[in-house]
Amino acid sequence: AYFGPEGTFTHLAAKQRFGELAKLRSESSIANVFAAVESDKSALGVIPVENTTEGVVTQTLDTFADSDVSICGEILLRISLDLFSQSGSLEEVHRVASHPQPLAQCRRWLDERLPAVERVETASTAAAVELAVEDAGVAAIGSSIAGEAHGLVAIASAIEDRRENTTRFLLIGRQFPESTGDDLTSVLFTIRKDEAGGLYHLIEPMAQRGVNLASIQLRPMAGKPWEYYFFIDIEGHRDDPQVAAALAASAEVAHTCRVLGSFPRAAGVRPQRAGGEG
């Protein structure tokens, strides 16, 4: 299952990972991808989690808080975004449509060339393409593949503000990959809000054992103002002795601890024309 419909960048990431012969099912939201895996409707799910320009996809992190699926892989996709419309003329653009992430990733280009044009947020880049097909005054931001497939004409190519623009996708399921020697472990912690130095005590055992932190993200807990989930990525596999010892020590000082998964790190970014929201 992937956050679709076809032509979105999560779709392209799924095709990159599994190939053209895989049975791919489109889901209309990130939450629905989680639900498809939880109900065994799909064996695996592909969801966007982070972009090098716009940061984390908060909906993905928030959904992990209420789900029991595991992270079993990651996909990296370099993002190149095009602007296209029916005419291919910049002068005829009255609205620009796309998913919020691509709109943000092209903010500088849009400010310089279309400063007075309305920006319309859509559920996906595929939905933006459909809008441009229906309305000659709408230009869509998305992948060149999606634009060409619907008969639209490119106005400009590679309009993203950063050349290194890359989206990271997670593979979720019920699998538990073994250690490969180049792994990442994602953990969801909560800490006691009335304890001084709670976050320091949480990560101190990792520093003491030489376990490197790849990232720390926090998200507010629903119904509990000023309390947070801490999503921590650490280098290594949960079965590696140092990682296992660090996790055990951190769990003792945390309020709650749940390992979301240990999985092989993506080998690298493939240069290809795609975009990145989900």
Side-chain angles (χ1 to χ4, degrees), residues 80-85 88-90 93 95-98 103 106 109-110 113-114 138-144 147 152-159 273:
S80 186
L81 297 162
D82 291 358
L83 181 71
F84 35 77
S85 68
S89 171
L90 192 66
V93 175
R95 292 189 294 164
V96 175
S98 194
L103 283 172
C106 304
W109 192 97
L110 294 172
R113 292 165 178 82
L114 296 169
V138 174
I141 297 175
S143 71
S144 58
L152 298 176
V153 182
I155 298 172
S157 300
I159 66 171
R273 298 304 304 281

Side-chain angles (χ1 to χ4, degrees), residues 20-119:
E20 296 289 341
L21 297 181
K23 184 178 180 181
L24 303 178
R25 176 185 287 110
S26 167
E27 297 290 349
S28 60
S29 69
I30 289 172
N32 284 350
V33 176
F34 275 85
V37 176
E38 290 169 343
S39 65
D40 294 324
K41 178 182 175 183
S42 297
L44 298 166
V46 180
I47 49 174
V49 70
E50 187 176 9
N51 176 266
T52 54
T53 301
E54 283 301 299
V56 298
V57 179
T58 56
Q59 184 183 356
T60 294
L61 296 187
D62 291 344
T63 309
F64 270 116
D66 298 316
S67 175
D68 64 353
V69 301
S70 296
I71 304 172
C72 46
E74 67 175 359
I75 307 165
L76 299 178
L77 194 65
R78 184 167 293 155
I79 305 309
S80 186
L81 297 162
D82 291 358
L83 181 71
F84 35 77
S85 68
Q86 293 183 26
S87 67
S89 171
L90 192 66
E91 289 70 26
E92 295 183 24
V93 175
H94 302 295
R95 292 189 294 164
V96 175
S98 194
H99 184 276
Q101 282 263 342
L103 283 172
Q105 292 163 25
C106 304
R107 186 181 295 113
R108 187 185 311 125
W109 192 97
L110 294 172
D111 287 346
E112 291 176 354
R113 292 165 178 82
L114 296 169
V117 170
E118 179 187 2
R119 299 173 195 181

Side-chain angles (χ1 to χ4, degrees), residues 214-233:
S215 72
I216 300 178
Q217 306 288 345
L218 71 160
R219 292 294 301 154
M221 298 173 65
K224 296 184 177 182
W226 318 121
E227 296 188 49
Y228 300 90
Y229 291 108
F230 291 87
F231 293 85
I232 299 182
D233 286 347

Side-chain angles (χ1 to χ4, degrees), residues 183-187 232-239 243 247 259-263:
D183 302 290
L184 202 65
T185 295
S186 294
V187 193
I232 299 182
D233 286 347
I234 60 179
E235 294 181 353
H237 194 279
R238 63 189 299 176
D239 292 337
V243 174
L247 287 174
V259 178
L260 299 177
S262 289
F263 51 92

